[in-house]
Every structure is written in structure tokens, then in C-alpha cells.
Amino acid sequence: MKIAFIGLGNMGGGMAANLAKAGHDVRAFDLSDEALARAVEAGCTRAASAAEAVAGAEAVVTMLPAGKHVAGVYESDVFPNAAPGTLLLDCSTIDVATARSNIEAATAKGLVAVDAPVSGGIAAANAGTLTFMVGGTGEGFARAEPILAKMGKAVIHAGDAGAGQGAKICNNMLLGASMIATCETLALAQKLGLDPQKFFDIASVSSGQCWSLTSYAPLPGVGPTTPADNGYAGGFAAALMLKDLRLAMEAAASVDAAVPMGSKARELYEAFVEADKDGRDFSAIIQTLQK
Ligand code: NAD
């Protein structure tokens, strides 16, 4: 299948490479020459512009920083160049309102669009083991599923337009709040004189068990190997967690939802990201709670 891929950064680079590896004809474009060169090395075809990538493509995947980038590329490059019926898959994490308006605008132009944000970081993007949460019509999902399956281990239809982004920010709000709860709990256990590994062994099989503890323990030498064992490098940057928490707060305000824990998590990550100049993993926030 001829697939345009726009946005070949940390995530998009690996994703486009996996589509090429699966035998698709991937026409890649990024504003960064370096990112584009890596994609070409990985088997994609270089496009001189987003417009050139889109012309003649049966599907268009975008993996861009934020809603304004996706809306901009759709308006200036995708809508004027996509043939009627072309499938648009936006895998970026963006605000629910822009995701919905993008899909509405695409539908009005005779295109079929879905929002398909991902869970999983750069390693999962490279390995093709992302989880995709898809919002859109049944037809959109049916067409998107086989393409997304080449880049992920799970592809789930979350609901109508925007539901993928809704699921993504709800999941990450839960993750942000549970990571902070895990960090402050481990810090307290240490101050109470408990051996952290011993507490890990107990909580892992007790009612406090959660993913942030058992799969992503924020202390070095405790539990499985995580970014904590690597000086908090790699993993999921705290700035990206903050981005998702801000999107969650925006969405919560739009529907008047009470999110006191999410709001506190946003506040704590705002302070952490402001102070941390190393772009560390989001679990490094434990160091601010150990003081
Ligand atoms: P990134 O900054 O590494 O990549 C974005 C790429 O988009 C860059 O290469 C940039 O040059 C390109 N770009 C920007 N505007 C463009 C335009 N108009 N035309 C063409 N290319 C353009 O970001 P990333 O880490 O790959 O993240 C991409 C998206 O995935 C974001 O929405 C992010 O929130 C989401 N996400 C990231 C992670 C992660 O761990 N990095 C995990 C899940 C979701």
C-alpha cells in the first residue's frame, strides 16, 4: 500500500520503518533532514514535501508534536492533495477538540479519518509493540487496523472521533497520578526504615499493587530493570507526561469533570520539569519526594 508518513521524530521514525519493513511503500516527510535521512536508510522513500508525500497515497499517517501541527499539515498539505476516500491516521497525542475538528473537516472533504494515539515509548515504536487507541467510524477503524497492526501489539477501537485521544489522556492522567503515589509511598517506606525491595515484594502482591510500582519501579535496584536503573535516562520524559496532564486538564475543564488528583499531578510535574534540566524520565520525580 502507498502510505504517506509525516513526522519522523523519536516515535515516527521507528513507526515508519516498521511499515516499510512490512512491505508498504512509505513516502516519508519531515522538516528535519536528519530525521528524513534516517527514514530513507530504514527503507522509506524521501518526499520533498508533505504535499508530495500525500499525492497518490492511499493512507496518510501523521506523528507530530501537537494539535496545531496536525491541523496545519491537514489544511495546507493533506486536504488539497489527498484523493477522495484516502484514509488519514493521526497517531500524535493532541487535544480532543482539535482531533474532532480535524476528523470533521476531513469527512467534509470526502476523506476517512481516525485519531489513533499510542501508548508506549520510543522502544515500543522501534520494536513495533505500541498500543493504539482509535477514535472514528467503524469503516475508519476497519481500514486503519491492518496498518496500525504493523506498528503495534494491540489496536483497540475506543469509540467515535476523538475517543482515542480521550482514552490516551485518561490513561496518562492515571499513570501520572499513580507514579507520584508510588514515589511518595516508596519515599515514606524508606523513611520508616523499610528495605525498599522488601516493601516492593509485599506491595506487589497486596492491594497497593499498580503498574507504576511493579512494572516501572522508580527506585534503582528495586523490581524489574527500569529507567531508574539507568540514571532516569530514556523511558518517558517528564515533559511529555506534563504535556499529557495539561491536555487532560483541558479536556476535564471542557466537560466540567472533577480531577483533583490529576490536577495535583499536573502541578507537581510542572514544578519538576521546570527544575529538571536533564529531560529525565517521569519516574525521576521520586527524587523531589525523598527530601
Ligand atoms: P519528536 O519531536 O521527536 O518528533 C516530531 C517530528 O515532527 C519532528 O521530527 C519534527 O521535525 C516533525 N515535524 C514538526 N512539524 C512538522 C511539519 N509541519 N511537517 C513535517 N514534520 C514536522 O516527537 P515524538 O517524541 O516523536 O512525539 C510525536 C508525538 O507522539 C507527540 O504528539 C507525542 O506526544 C506523542 N508520543 C510520544 C511518546 C514518546 O515517548 N516520545 C510516547 C507516546 C506518544
Side-chain angles (χ1 to χ4, degrees):
M1 184 185 278
K2 290 178 181 141
I3 302 178
F5 204 114
I6 303 166
L8 307 158
N10 289 320
M11 297 291 290
M15 293 164 69
N18 284 324
L19 287 180
K21 212 187 294 167
H24 289 299
D25 172 6
V26 182
R27 291 107 176 269
F29 179 70
D30 195 292
L31 294 176
S32 150
D33 278 342
E34 255 179 72
L36 195 44
R38 274 196 301 273
V40 170
E41 219 166 90
C44 301
T45 306
R46 178 189 299 266
S49 63
E52 189 183 293
V54 170
E58 295 151 83
V60 179
V61 182
T62 40
M63 193 55 169
L64 296 164
K68 64 179 182 204
H69 304 96
V70 181
V73 165
Y74 274 17
E75 274 307 319
S76 62
D77 302 294
V78 178
F79 294 161
N81 294 290
T86 303
L87 176 67
L88 312 184
L89 307 96
D90 179 32
C91 298
S92 331
T93 302
I94 69 170
D95 59 288
V96 175
T98 304
R100 286 192 179 135
S101 66
N102 282 345
I103 292 176
E104 223 169 82
T107 307
K109 304 234 175 261
L111 308 169
V112 177
V114 296
D115 53 303
V118 307
S119 177
I122 301 162
N126 290 335
T129 56
L130 294 165
T131 292
F132 289 91
M133 311 157 210
V134 185
T137 60
E139 184 207 346
F141 178 74
R143 288 180 59 191
E145 202 270 342
I147 298 171
L148 298 173
K150 300 294 182 205
M151 302 183 281
K153 65 172 171 16
V155 183
I156 299 165
H157 193 186
D160 293 337
Q165 298 295 349
K168 162 83 190 177
I169 55 164
C170 285
N171 179 73
N172 279 22
M173 184 178 85
L174 179 58
L175 174 62
S178 74
M179 177 53 80
I180 291 169
T182 299
C183 289
E184 69 183 23
T185 300
L186 283 169
L188 171 63
Q190 280 180 301
K191 285 202 168 178
L192 293 175
L194 280 151
D195 170 25
Q197 181 62 48
K198 189 61 77 182
F199 175 71
F200 175 91
D201 293 342
I202 293 166
S204 295
V205 291
S206 300
S207 47
Q209 186 277 330
C210 69
W211 188 88
S212 295
L213 177 71
T214 50
S215 297
Y216 213 96
L219 273 182
V222 175
T225 303
T226 65
D229 297 299
N230 189 29
Y232 298 97
F236 184 50
L240 284 172
M241 172 52 79
L242 176 58
K243 171 192 167 179
D244 293 351
L245 286 168
R246 284 177 171 154
L247 289 175
M249 293 308 101
E250 220 176 284
S254 77
V255 291
D256 196 22
V259 284
M261 301 294 282
S263 169
K264 191 69 193 170
R266 190 267 313 265
E267 191 187 302
L268 292 169
Y269 273 110
E270 235 153 34
F272 177 72
V273 169
E274 169 75 16
D276 186 67
K277 299 296 169 219
D278 300 325
R280 288 183 299 165
D281 180 73
F282 79 119
S283 63
I285 200 166
I286 193 168
Q287 293 181 339
T288 66
L289 299 161
Q290 283 169 319
K291 291 191 174 136

